[in-house]
């Protein structure tokens, strides 16, 4: 396989593949941070060819300079890690979203999944949405066939939705067409939060735990989520317009309805421009 180098262990037993890639479907780094917790302590058994898949002008390596001397370079990676929880083998494909050769990669990933005997494919993602930080993180589900999602997660949204695809979706569609059961769990992250959103990472980790019937500990995510909640609450209470906006989102969430109308959309966009910095962001959606 040209794009994937793997040294699979001999004792894999009906492994599941968990996938999280950075990019526009990783708002607040929620998906990759959740996958990192699952992979923590595991062994890297595979790596994808970074020189072929990445545009280094877009993903420049980090250069460390010590006392005026260039010393080390840190490159973007996309790896497969084998973690074991009880009798369960979980392979975690996580890292930087490839810039090139998505279709070729999807074909090779299907071949690898069949070779390794992958029994289910789980995609993790996070998307910016008009939701408040004061309510539980909503999770949207996708599934290759009915009955695969666990917990209270439902497939959605209903109807036809056309959005720019991400590489993780290209892989998901490919393995689904190959007959491998696949699901996706996508957290909704408040528009006004820019930067890591540990609260959504925790929600995705809980979804993984329920789905696979395992218990991955949250590690530092729990404390990060608590500190961020305190900071967002303080910013909300310090400004009346911010508080009113969050209360409006709370009402929509409690009534289980989505924003409607051009006026509300304009209101959200205006809020992102004017109030993003006050809530710990740059005013731009993730």
């Amino acid at each position: 396989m040209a794009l994937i180098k793997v040294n699979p262990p001999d004792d894999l037993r009906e492994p599941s593949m968990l996938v999280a890639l950075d990019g526009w479907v990783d708002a607040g780094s929620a998906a990759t941070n959740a996958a990192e917790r699952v992979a923590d302590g595991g062994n890297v058994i595979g790596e994808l060819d970074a020189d072929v898949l990445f545009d280094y002008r877009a993903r420049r390596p980090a250069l460390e300079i010590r006392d005026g001397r260039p010393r080390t370079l840190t490159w973007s990676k996309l790896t497969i890690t084998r973690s074991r929880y009880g009798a369960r083998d979980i392979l975690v494909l996580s890292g930087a979203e490839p810039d090139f050769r998505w279709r070729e990669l999807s074909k090779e990933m299907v071949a690898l999944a069949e070779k390794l005997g992958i029994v289910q494919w789980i995609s993790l993602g996070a998307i910016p949405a008009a939701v408040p930080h004061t309510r539980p993180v909503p999770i949207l589900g996708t599934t290759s066939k009915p009955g695969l999602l666990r917990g209270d997660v439902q497939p959605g949204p209903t109807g036809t939705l056309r959005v720019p695809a991400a590489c993780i979706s290209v892989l998901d569609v490919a393995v689904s067409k190959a007959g491998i059961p696949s699901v996706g769990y996508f957290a909704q992250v408040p528009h006004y939060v820019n930067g890591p959103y540990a609260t959504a990472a925790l929600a995705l980790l809980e979804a993984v735990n329920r789905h696979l019937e395992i218990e991955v500990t949250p590690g530092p995510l729990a404390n990060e989520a608590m500190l961020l909640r305190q900071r967002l609450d303080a910013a909300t209470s310090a400004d009346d317009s911010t508080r009113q906006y969050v209360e409006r989102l709370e009402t929509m969430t409690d009534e289980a309805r989505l924003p409607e109308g051009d006026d509300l959309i304009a209101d959200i966009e205006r809020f992102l421009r004017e109030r993003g910095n006050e809530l710990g962001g740059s005013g731009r959606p993730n």
Side-chain angles (χ1 to χ4, degrees), residues 3-279:
L3 301 180
I4 311 171
K5 298 178 181 178
V6 178
N7 293 312
D10 297 330
D11 59 344
L12 280 177
R13 295 192 305 173
E14 298 186 336
S16 300
M17 181 73 82
L18 180 71
V19 186
L21 307 177
D22 72 4
W24 84 266
V25 288
D26 188 29
S29 300
T32 47
N33 282 338
E36 182 179 316
R37 289 301 308 154
V38 179
D40 187 46
N43 298 317
V44 175
I45 64 169
E47 189 164 349
L48 280 68
D49 193 336
D51 286 342
V52 174
L53 294 174
F54 295 143
D55 178 359
Y56 291 132
R57 291 170 300 178
R59 294 187 179 276
R60 298 181 184 273
L63 171 64
E64 184 176 286
I65 302 174
R66 298 180 186 175
D67 301 322
R69 296 179 59 188
R71 300 298 294 271
T72 60
L73 290 165
T74 302
W75 300 83
S76 296
K77 291 184 178 181
L78 185 53
T79 59
I80 301 175
T81 302
R82 186 258 188 110
S83 294
R84 201 160 200 175
Y85 293 88
R88 282 195 176 276
D89 273 317
I90 303 171
L91 303 184
V92 181
L93 171 62
S94 185
E97 179 185 54
D99 297 300
F100 306 117
R101 300 172 77 166
W102 288 8
R103 286 184 289 187
E104 182 180 350
L105 176 60
S106 67
K107 293 178 182 178
E108 292 197 11
M109 194 58 68
V110 167
L112 177 63
E114 292 173 343
K115 177 182 178 180
L116 298 179
I118 298 298
V119 297
Q120 60 180 329
W121 184 278
I122 306 168
S123 299
L124 297 184
I127 54 177
V131 295
H133 72 277
T134 53
R135 296 293 187 267
V137 175
I139 303 288
L140 295 176
T142 62
T143 179
S144 59
K145 61 181 181 180
L148 297 181
L149 293 167
R150 304 286 177 84
D152 296 328
V153 177
Q154 299 296 321
T158 57
T160 301
L161 179 66
R162 291 184 180 272
V163 296
C167 184
I168 193 171
S169 302
V170 175
L171 299 178
D172 192 326
V173 170
V175 297
S176 296
K177 288 183 177 180
I180 299 173
S182 65
V183 299
Y185 293 98
F186 294 85
Q188 294 183 320
V189 174
H191 272 299
Y192 50 82
V193 175
N194 194 13
Y197 192 57
T199 310
L202 281 176
L204 289 174
L205 188 60
E206 291 171 1
V208 171
N209 282 336
R210 286 193 303 268
H211 187 91
L212 293 173
E213 297 180 336
I214 60 177
E215 189 58 43
V216 182
T217 59
L221 290 177
N223 188 59
E224 292 171 10
M226 179 188 69
L227 293 176
L228 180 59
R229 173 62 187 265
Q230 292 173 352
R231 183 161 62 89
L232 291 173
D233 284 347
T236 300
S237 62
D239 180 81
D240 285 341
S241 60
T242 300
R243 177 180 52 77
Q244 292 171 5
Y245 178 79
V246 173
E247 288 176 350
R248 191 174 186 181
L249 293 180
E250 288 174 340
T251 299
M252 290 190 297
T253 299
D254 294 342
E255 295 177 356
R257 63 185 177 90
L258 297 175
E260 297 180 358
D262 294 337
D263 290 341
L264 182 53
I265 293 174
D267 185 34
I268 292 172
E269 291 175 346
R270 183 168 55 253
F271 176 84
L272 293 174
R273 290 194 303 269
E274 297 176 355
R275 300 297 180 183
N277 286 325
E278 297 179 16
L279 295 184

